[in-house]
Amino acid sequence: MSNYKKVTIADDPRVELHDSLGLTGAEISVNHLPAGAGVPFVHAHKSNEEIYAVLSGRGRAVIDGDTVTLAAGDWLRIAPAAKRQFFAAEDCAIRFLCIQVREGSLGAYTREDAIV
């Protein structure tokens, strides 16, 4: 068995990678909202924080009633209990990555977790 897995994803509105990559510690999704569109629901999580990376375009997130403007290059971390919803700008699409991990689970990282 190989120690890695590579996939190529389609340009769909939403692609979840947990199954196709065999992820065991995170969920990653690639999301695209056309200009003027929004995620059709507000949601929160029981135990997973979400980290968002805006890959292209512009939009906004409404988090616990606060509006946060988003643009390419922005990164955003949202605690599990926060209620959130995402929207593309009226005149511009937005493409973003969402990384979902259990809050408080990071034990070591970078050099602390590396074997050199």
Side-chain angles (χ1 to χ4, degrees):
M1 182 173 141
S2 178
N3 284 329
Y4 67 91
K5 186 164 187 182
K6 176 188 170 194
V7 298
T8 301
I9 63 169
D11 195 22
D12 293 334
R14 180 174 168 86
V15 177
E16 294 179 347
L17 298 173
H18 64 277
D19 287 337
S20 60
L21 285 175
L23 301 177
T24 64
E27 163 62 303
I28 301 172
S29 63
V30 182
N31 304 270
H32 178 265
L33 294 172
V39 174
F41 55 87
V42 175
H43 78 285
H45 286 277
K46 296 174 186 171
S47 58
N48 291 342
E49 65 187 10
E50 290 182 324
I51 302 97
Y52 291 88
V54 181
L55 304 175
S56 63
R58 291 180 289 108
R60 71 186 192 285
V62 178
I63 306 165
D64 288 339
D66 293 335
T67 299
V68 179
T69 59
L70 299 170
D74 287 346
W75 286 80
L76 175 67
R77 183 250 180 207
I78 303 178
K83 293 179 174 78
R84 74 222 52 189
Q85 188 173 18
F86 287 81
F87 303 89
E90 289 301 318
D91 62 344
C92 182
I94 189 170
R95 187 168 180 84
F96 58 93
L97 186 71
C98 177
I99 304 164
Q100 193 179 126
V101 295
R102 182 173 302 279
E103 185 179 46
S105 66
L106 184 61
Y109 55 93
T110 315
R111 287 188 176 200
E112 293 175 7
D113 189 53
I115 300 171
V116 182

